[in-house]
Amino acid sequence: MEEQRLVEEATTNDINGQLNEEERDPESNSMRQPLLKRNRTLSSSPFALVGAKVSHIESLDYEINENDLFKHDWRRRSRVQVLQYVFLKWSLAFLVGLLTGVTATLINLAIENIAGYKLRAVVDYIDNRRYLMGFAYFAGANFVLTLIAALLCVCFAPTAAGPGIPEIKAYLNGVDTPNMFGATTLFVKIIGSIAAVSASLDLGKEGPLVHIGACFASLLGQGGPDNYRLKWRWLRYFNNDRDRRDLITSGSSSGVCAAFRSPVGGVLFALEEVATWWRSALLWRTFFSTAVVVVILRAFIEYCKSGNCGLFGRGGLIMFDVSGVSVTYHPVDIIPIALIGIIGGLLGSLYNHVLHKVLRLYNLINEKGKLHKLLLALSVSLFTSIGMYGLPFLAKCKPCDPSIQGSCPGTGGTGNFKQFNCPNGYYNDLATLLLTTNDDAVRNIFSINTPGEFQVSSLIIYFVLYCILGLVTFGIAVPSGLFLPIILMGSAYGRLLAIAMGSYTKIDPGLYAVLGAASLMAGSMRMTVSLCVIFLELTNNLLLLPITMLVLLISKSVGDCFNLSIYEIILELKGLPFLDANPEPWMRNITVGELADVKPPVVTLRGIEKVGRIVEVLKNTTHNGFPVVDEGVVPPVGLPIGATELHGIVLRTHLLLVLKKKLFLHERRRTEEWEVREKFSWIDLAERWGKIEDVAVTKSEMEMYVDLHPLTNTTPYTVVESMSVAKAMVLFRQVGLRHMLIVPKYQAAGVSPVVGILTRQDLRAHNILSVFPHLVKSKSGKKH
């Protein structure tokens, strides 16, 4: 017997050794074995960086929860109520456009006056040869303004720092970004962007305006701030994630329209860049919101033309007008235009790469506390002031062209040909670009019929300075936008290329600056259609359309060869679980069933469950959805024996609602419809009901029962366990799901009707690769 046992052990060890050898050799897998090997449990971090604050994040419920209460309410809705709901949608879209337009006008009004009068005072000191006093005033004013913006962000609303566009993209993708659209964030974003842009920092107000429009939309949809929310019944129609998503989409497009005065460009920006889910009705409402914004801006501009708004209002809706030049093309122009596109793609991808490194460094600094955030912002402000004030002294004074004697040198705070430290009859071209507001700097460098205004040395200094400032400024604790800094950098090398081409091309250098700005934006942000329309509406020159399209396409194609867009890089850096539109190719080599195998066992509840079991599940898990399974159900067809039914999925917030409302039963039975409606309404189901720790349940109540059937979503999205992860990810993203149930391929007695649940984190490439490292071979294109 002992010999037989030893032989059996040896045989078993030999078989195990062969199996282990097969596991070590990927090529020896049989067709019936799984392709992949795992090394740990699929897990993910529920934390991400929202704005400048580490927050606990969850997914949003964009799916319609079709439970008994919803179906009953849907059947009872009259035609008048449906029309009222549609009318309210359009009314809120109007209010979003109105508030965004008014706020954008006030922001522009404040920035133009604060920055304009500051620069006028500096010019007065320079005219009187009091250079040190001019620098002290310039640097001191910038220091104070930066301090105001940074203090507001650091102490009151960390989520107001940065542009806010990556967080909006994540929200519209289905990621809940806490405190991102609150009233405090809105207030700090408005005041902070005014202070930061007026402080001459290398940032724009465009990104913050997109965030401001989204904040207005969210607050209107929920009836105001959390502590002072209006309880009007008609507003509670919008107390759900789906309608709030539509409103925030309208708000983001209104923000872009307000920033660039580009209504069509704003709609296309929302469609191309931030929105994950789109439909024709949403297109009409976003266009309506942007139309309202344009009307508001036009009304204020007409009012301010009379001089009632200080230094604001001298422009029109066309911000950087280059319509005064006739654009003619020749076959030889294809070469410089293609060259601009290639340079824009290369520089854009390089800028994204270096900015990623800088942001990682800034995260390490910001983690040390509020004081370090303030010191970093103030250091950048001081460095910016030194560069902008000191570098114009390095430029040579240029004599004015006699043909423009009346406007050169310029005497006002805006316009070309600034005299700075030059004698009469001369101007300083570098001061023309640096000692001015960002909008005026763009107008100056885009200006047409000025081929010899800027020297090569001045343009090189300007380009290098703005590259450095753009890298060190973005990421500090102030509201900031990327659009204008990238436009300024791109326009500088566009002008340089125009000078290098000389007589080879007949295109105006100002148009080269426009094309350079467009190419760098496409190379960094990877947008095409929306950028093309925005630049056409900015410059008012439809003849630029063909070459602008060509430049954008080349720049984006070149940039895509190296890295992701800047907003996608920021999303990854912040840890926001954004699902991309295109799954990785290797995701077709793995099934959802294999993902379910590496997750903890699915937690299910019965249709009629004990209160104690529900409390235990809620306390011991962090899941937000639980499959509801009924055992012993007699199927309508087939043998009259007990079967297991997947009734649906019940949300965590609805379980908390049941416990708070105490819809408990003394015996195990189904509740009547009137009992449920007596306790709950469809409005209650839209509320977030806190945490399990806030619910008090007595010992006797623990032994009672709850009928979960009326609150269970009976139509959850399910996939069979043999479906590929790539296919499941496309479905998950396009429908806007929070939970996706995996059902078994084979139905049999004793087989659970649900294999597992997939969430957003389970479908992220990084998390899958951490469990299945052999997929890296597939990712790199090698044979698996």
Side-chain angles (χ1 to χ4, degrees):
M1 294 292 293
E2 181 66 16
E3 290 178 0
Q4 184 180 359
R5 186 181 63 82
L6 291 174
V7 170
E8 289 175 355
E9 286 182 356
T11 306
T12 302
N13 291 336
D14 186 45
I15 293 173
N16 289 337
Q18 292 177 8
L19 290 174
N20 290 336
E21 192 66 27
E22 284 187 358
E23 287 181 356
R24 283 193 296 269
D25 184 11
E27 302 295 335
S28 65
N29 280 340
S30 69
M31 293 298 291
R32 294 181 178 274
Q33 290 177 326
L35 286 171
L36 307 170
K37 301 181 291 294
R38 56 181 179 268
N39 65 348
R40 60 171 75 97
T41 302
L42 185 62
S43 61
S44 58
S45 172
F47 296 96
L49 196 63
V50 181
K53 180 182 179 182
V54 177
S55 302
H56 184 279
I57 57 170
E58 294 182 359
S59 295
L60 295 165
D61 294 311
Y62 287 154
E63 180 187 1
I64 295 177
N65 201 311
E66 292 185 341
N67 52 39
D68 291 348
L69 285 173
F70 171 83
K71 294 174 183 176
H72 180 264
D73 172 72
W74 191 260
R75 289 192 299 265
R76 289 179 64 249
R77 285 192 183 183
S78 64
R79 182 174 178 81
V80 174
Q81 288 177 310
V82 172
L83 291 175
Q84 182 188 29
Y85 174 62
V86 174
F87 174 76
L88 290 174
K89 278 188 174 183
W90 285 92
S91 300
L92 289 177
F94 171 80
L95 289 175
V96 168
L98 176 68
L99 292 174
T100 305
V102 172
T103 305
T105 304
L106 296 177
I107 289 175
N108 281 294
L109 178 67
I111 290 173
E112 293 292 327
N113 281 282
I114 295 172
Y117 286 116
K118 176 192 71 176
L119 292 170
R120 282 192 173 186
V122 172
V123 170
D124 288 341
Y125 281 116
I126 293 171
D127 289 343
N128 295 323
R129 299 291 187 262
R130 300 176 65 185
Y131 299 124
L132 287 179
M133 280 299 299
F135 172 73
Y137 184 89
F138 183 67
N142 292 343
F143 188 90
V144 171
L145 289 168
T146 305
L147 180 62
I148 293 171
L151 273 175
L152 287 172
C153 286
V154 169
C155 299
F156 297 100
T159 51
I165 294 177
E167 287 83 359
I168 295 172
K169 281 191 67 166
Y171 185 93
L172 297 179
N173 191 254
V175 181
D176 190 8
T177 47
N179 304 317
M180 199 64 201
F181 306 111
T184 306
T185 302
L186 173 63
F187 174 78
V188 171
K189 200 80 174 186
I190 294 172
I191 304 300
S193 16
I194 291 173
V197 178
S198 301
S200 297
L201 293 172
D202 185 22
L203 44 83
K205 57 185 178 296
E206 294 74 26
L209 275 173
V210 177
H211 190 187
I212 288 168
C215 287
F216 275 127
S218 178
L219 290 171
L220 285 171
Q222 69 183 25
D226 291 334
N227 297 333
Y228 304 98
R229 188 179 297 181
L230 297 176
K231 299 298 183 181
W232 295 342
R233 183 175 181 82
W234 58 270
L235 264 181
R236 302 181 82 173
Y237 278 119
F238 298 90
N239 194 17
N240 62 81
D241 293 334
R242 288 175 62 87
D243 286 317
R244 196 171 294 131
R245 172 184 61 183
D246 290 356
L247 282 171
I248 288 176
T249 304
S250 297
S252 62
S253 62
S254 298
V256 173
C257 174
F260 295 108
R261 305 172 198 172
S262 170
V264 180
V267 175
L268 292 176
F269 174 84
L271 172 61
E272 182 180 12
E273 183 61 23
V274 297
T276 297
W277 189 81
W278 197 265
R279 67 182 191 278
S280 58
L282 183 58
L283 174 69
W284 280 104
R285 283 199 298 275
T286 53
F287 187 65
F288 176 62
S289 294
T290 56
V292 174
V293 173
V294 167
V295 171
I296 298 298
L297 291 174
R298 186 71 210 176
F300 271 96
I301 288 171
E302 290 297 323
Y303 173 76
C304 291
K305 277 184 177 179
S306 59
N308 297 322
C309 305
L311 302 179
F312 174 71
R314 301 184 182 184
L317 281 180
I318 308 302
M319 295 178 70
F320 315 124
D321 195 346
V322 293
S323 60
V325 62
S326 177
V327 183
T328 56
Y329 309 116
H330 302 281
V332 293
D333 293 328
I334 295 295
I335 296 176
I337 289 171
L339 188 60
I340 287 179
I342 294 171
I343 294 174
L346 293 173
L347 287 179
S349 58
L350 178 63
Y351 179 80
N352 291 357
H353 176 74
V354 178
L355 185 59
H356 183 213
K357 304 297 182 185
V358 173
L359 291 177
R360 291 179 69 90
L361 175 63
Y362 278 11
N363 281 347
L364 296 176
I365 297 174
N366 292 335
E367 285 175 359
K368 296 182 178 180
K370 296 181 178 180
L371 181 60
H372 288 80
K373 291 182 181 181
L374 288 173
L375 291 176
L376 178 61
L378 296 175
S379 301
V380 170
S381 173
L382 188 59
F383 176 73
T384 302
S385 299
I386 293 172
M388 286 189 165
Y389 189 87
L391 288 177
F393 287 98
L394 302 179
K396 293 181 181 179
C397 295
K398 289 194 68 176
C400 292
D401 189 336
S403 62
I404 53 173
Q405 196 67 40
S407 58
C408 181
T411 56
T414 61
N416 294 41
F417 311 110
K418 288 195 173 180
Q419 187 171 356
F420 193 60
N421 62 333
C422 298
N424 292 332
Y426 288 78
Y427 71 94
N428 189 312
D429 58 343
L430 193 53
T432 301
L433 296 176
L434 289 178
L435 286 180
T436 185
T437 62
N438 284 342
D439 284 357
D440 280 333
V442 177
R443 289 189 189 97
N444 294 340
I445 205 165
F446 277 8
S447 57
I448 55 177
N449 300 320
T450 55
E453 179 181 356
F454 302 104
Q455 304 173 84
V456 173
S457 58
S458 297
L459 288 172
I460 291 174
I461 292 173
Y462 181 77
F463 175 70
V464 173
L465 174 65
Y466 262 79
C467 284
I468 296 172
L469 291 181
L471 291 171
V472 301
T473 305
F474 188 81
I476 63 175
V478 297
S480 56
L482 276 171
F483 285 93
L484 216 55
I486 293 177
I487 287 176
L488 290 169
M489 283 186 281
S491 57
Y493 80 72
R495 278 265 182 181
L496 283 170
L497 189 61
I499 295 174
M501 289 296 161
S503 59
Y504 180 81
T505 178
K506 301 298 183 183
I507 299 178
D508 190 276
L511 300 185
Y512 266 102
V514 174
L515 296 176
S519 70
L520 190 58
M521 288 188 74
S524 177
M525 297 181 178
R526 311 292 157 79
M527 294 184 292
T528 52
V529 179
S530 56
L531 271 185
C532 186
V533 174
I534 286 173
F535 268 91
L536 290 180
E537 292 182 298
L538 279 177
T539 57
N540 196 29
N541 197 329
L542 193 61
L543 295 174
L544 283 175
L545 179 61
I547 54 177
T548 304
M549 292 172 64
L550 183 61
V551 164
L552 291 173
L553 289 171
I554 294 174
S555 297
K556 183 185 185 306
S557 301
V558 172
D560 284 338
C561 296
F562 295 97
N563 51 28
L564 300 172
S565 73
I566 185 61
Y567 291 132
E568 289 175 327
I569 289 174
I570 295 172
L571 282 169
E572 279 194 3
L573 191 63
K574 289 176 175 290
L576 293 167
F578 182 85
L579 289 183
D580 194 63
N582 302 310
E584 299 286 348
W586 50 262
M587 286 184 175
R588 300 204 177 274
N589 299 336
I590 180 174
T591 65
V592 293
E594 289 174 294
L595 285 187
D597 288 342
V598 295
K599 292 190 66 176
V602 62
V603 179
T604 62
L605 297 172
R606 288 175 292 184
I608 302 175
E609 189 61 87
K610 290 188 71 170
V611 175
R613 166 69 175 161
I614 295 175
V615 172
E616 177 192 359
V617 166
L618 293 178
K619 284 186 175 180
N620 296 330
T621 68
T622 57
H623 307 322
N624 286 286
F626 303 92
V628 176
V629 176
D630 282 328
E631 297 177 351
V633 178
V634 178
V637 293
L639 296 176
I641 58 174
T644 305
E645 175 197 9
L646 174 61
H647 189 72
I649 186 171
V650 64
L651 299 180
R652 184 185 193 91
T653 183
H654 295 168
L655 294 176
L656 291 170
L657 172 64
V658 168
L659 296 179
K660 284 196 173 187
K661 297 278 189 176
K662 296 189 182 298
L663 184 61
F664 302 152
L665 305 171
H666 290 282
E667 67 277 353
R668 185 187 294 272
R669 67 172 179 85
R670 296 286 291 264
T671 53
E672 299 293 336
E673 187 176 327
W674 63 268
E675 291 181 280
V676 180
R677 292 206 310 271
E678 202 173 61
K679 284 278 187 180
F680 307 119
S681 68
W682 63 272
I683 295 174
D684 295 325
L685 299 183
E687 297 287 344
R688 302 286 175 91
W689 290 95
K691 301 177 181 179
I692 182 61
E693 290 78 14
D694 303 329
V695 180
V697 181
T698 64
K699 190 174 181 180
S700 60
E701 289 173 339
M702 288 285 196
E703 301 300 320
M704 300 174 72
Y705 297 92
V706 172
D707 181 14
L708 298 178
H709 293 99
L711 302 178
T712 301
N713 178 10
T714 57
T715 58
Y717 283 88
T718 60
V719 294
V720 69
E721 60 181 334
S722 57
M723 179 182 284
S724 70
V725 172
K727 201 171 182 180
M729 177 184 164
V730 171
L731 174 64
F732 194 98
R733 184 184 187 273
Q734 289 184 349
V735 181
L737 301 180
R738 184 174 187 176
H739 306 100
M740 179 184 282
L741 299 185
I742 306 172
V743 297
K745 185 177 181 180
Y746 302 103
Q747 304 288 340
V751 176
S752 173
V754 58
V755 175
I757 295 183
L758 285 182
T759 62
R760 169 178 300 273
Q761 294 280 7
D762 301 328
L763 296 172
R764 297 193 68 202
H766 172 76
N767 294 336
I768 297 174
L769 289 177
S770 67
V771 183
F772 300 104
H774 289 80
L775 278 173
V776 178
K777 293 184 179 180
S778 299
K779 183 179 179 183
S780 60
K782 297 179 182 178
K783 184 180 179 182
H784 184 74

